[in-house]
Amino acid sequence: MDLSSLSPLTEVVGSPTTSLLFLLCVAVATYVQTLTGFAFGLVLLSLVATFDLASVVDAANTATVLTLANAVAFFRAERQPPPWKMMRPALIASLFTVLIGVLLLRWISNNSADWLKTALGIAIVVCAIALVARKSQSERVGRPSGFAMAGALSGLMGGLFGTSGPPIVYHLYRQPLSADVVRRALLVMFASNAGVRLVLVAVSIGMSPRALLLSVLSVPVVHVATRLTLKAPSPISPSAMRLVVAGLLVMTGVAMVVV
């Protein structure tokens, strides 16, 4: 048998160890996302890039699919409607900037894949600092223009890196809202951006066979991890969880820039 003919298949399937480590990263990212309402894409991309389990582009595309899977599993379990009216300005603004982010991703992936990894590492560190440096809550819910600005920045990050969290997370956590409302608002925002990005990627750069396989393998993990987390929530407070996530992101982001 000509072993060279197996090379393309090997590149798609990868080693069992790599695939298992990727699924473990997916479970960790799902756990954090379900508890806090954010950081799925950042945690997944950080861990995958640090352990070199997949390319940044494949990991970002896989994160897009899994963000949708996480939102579906969450809302099926919780049965609480998202705050559509409050989030409408952010959702509309993000639709346009997701497109810009995907176009930038296409140019960068064709011209400088190494630069993309460095840029992602810097973005992760900045986002981690933003997550823990938020100011005290406002006395009333902010204006629609503020939501639109946060949504636009989130859409740009979502299109480029497959993770749209930090700008809208920072904005929502400043509002006088309960943690449950914030979590539902974030999930619908991420699901919306992920849906738009998935369509844009499919018709522009497409998804590699490796990304498709990782998505298929990971969807059941996301579903099970979401259900288990909702049934047995962590004793760690949301504020403490944010610090843990931020610390993890800073360390992995710095590692991506240095290595």
Side-chain angles (χ1 to χ4, degrees), residues 6 26 36 44 52 78 87 96 104-105 111 118 130 132 155 161 190 196 202 205 226 234 240-241 246 250:
L6 297 179
V26 168
T36 65
L44 180 60
D52 196 23
E78 285 290 284
M87 293 301 295
F96 299 99
L104 285 173
L105 174 63
N111 292 275
T118 301
V132 297
F161 297 128
F190 299 154
V196 173
I205 61 177
T226 300
S234 170
M241 179 60 73
V250 167

Side-chain angles (χ1 to χ4, degrees), residues 43 125 194 197 206 220:
V43 171
V125 173
R197 185 182 188 276

Side-chain angles (χ1 to χ4, degrees), residues 9-33:
L9 180 61
T10 302
E11 292 179 1
V12 173
V13 177
S15 69
T17 301
T18 299
S19 298
L20 288 175
L21 284 175
F22 186 90
L23 295 179
L24 178 61
C25 293
V26 168
V28 172
T30 303
Y31 177 73
V32 174
Q33 168 84 6

Side-chain angles (χ1 to χ4, degrees), residues 64-82:
T64 300
V65 176
L66 300 184
T67 296
L68 282 171
N70 175 248
V72 170
F74 178 88
F75 285 114
R76 285 187 64 183
E78 285 290 284
R79 302 291 184 181
Q80 294 292 327

Side-chain angles (χ1 to χ4, degrees), residues 26-247:
V26 168
V28 172
T30 303
Y31 177 73
V32 174
Q33 168 84 6
T34 305
L35 283 179
T36 65
F38 66 89
F40 178 87
L42 284 175
V43 171
L44 180 60
L45 265 67
S46 298
L47 294 175
V48 168
T50 299
F51 296 110
D52 196 23
L53 302 178
S55 69
V56 173
V57 174
D58 282 347
N61 291 338
T62 303
T64 300
V65 176
L66 300 184
T67 296
L68 282 171
N70 175 248
V72 170
F74 178 88
F75 285 114
R76 285 187 64 183
E78 285 290 284
R79 302 291 184 181
Q80 294 292 327
W84 292 112
K85 183 177 180 181
M86 181 183 69
M87 293 301 295
R88 189 177 296 121
L91 292 171
I92 294 174
S94 69
L95 295 178
F96 299 99
T97 53
V98 167
L99 173 59
I100 297 174
V102 170
L103 293 175
L104 285 173
L105 174 63
R106 182 178 183 180
W107 181 86
I108 292 171
S109 61
N110 289 336
N111 292 275
S112 181
D114 292 337
W115 184 88
L116 179 60
K117 184 176 180 179
T118 301
L120 177 58
I122 295 173
I124 287 173
V125 173
V126 172
C127 293
I129 295 173
L131 290 178
V132 297
R134 63 185 180 90
K135 300 178 182 179
S136 58
Q137 288 185 333
S138 304
E139 295 182 358
R140 63 183 65 182
V141 176
R143 297 180 178 180
S145 59
F147 278 85
M149 178 62 71
L153 292 174
S154 289
L156 182 63
M157 282 196 65
L160 185 56
F161 297 128
T163 174
S164 56
I168 194 66
V169 167
Y170 179 81
H171 185 71
L172 281 173
Y173 270 98
R174 288 196 61 201
Q175 311 304 315
L177 302 168
S178 67
D180 180 61
V181 172
V182 170
R183 183 166 59 173
R184 285 186 280 122
L186 289 173
L187 282 173
V188 74
M189 178 74 182
F190 299 154
S192 175
N193 283 353
V196 173
R197 185 182 188 276
L198 190 60
V199 172
L200 293 173
V201 167
V203 300
S204 58
I205 61 177
M207 290 185 66
S208 70
R210 177 64 174 164
L212 290 172
L213 177 62
L214 291 174
S215 298
V216 171
L217 294 175
S218 301
V219 166
V221 175
V222 169
H223 182 78
V224 172
T226 300
R227 292 276 183 163
L228 292 177
T229 304
L230 289 173
K231 289 182 178 181
S234 170
I236 302 176
S237 67
S239 58
M241 179 60 73
R242 281 194 294 271
L243 291 175
V244 172
V245 172

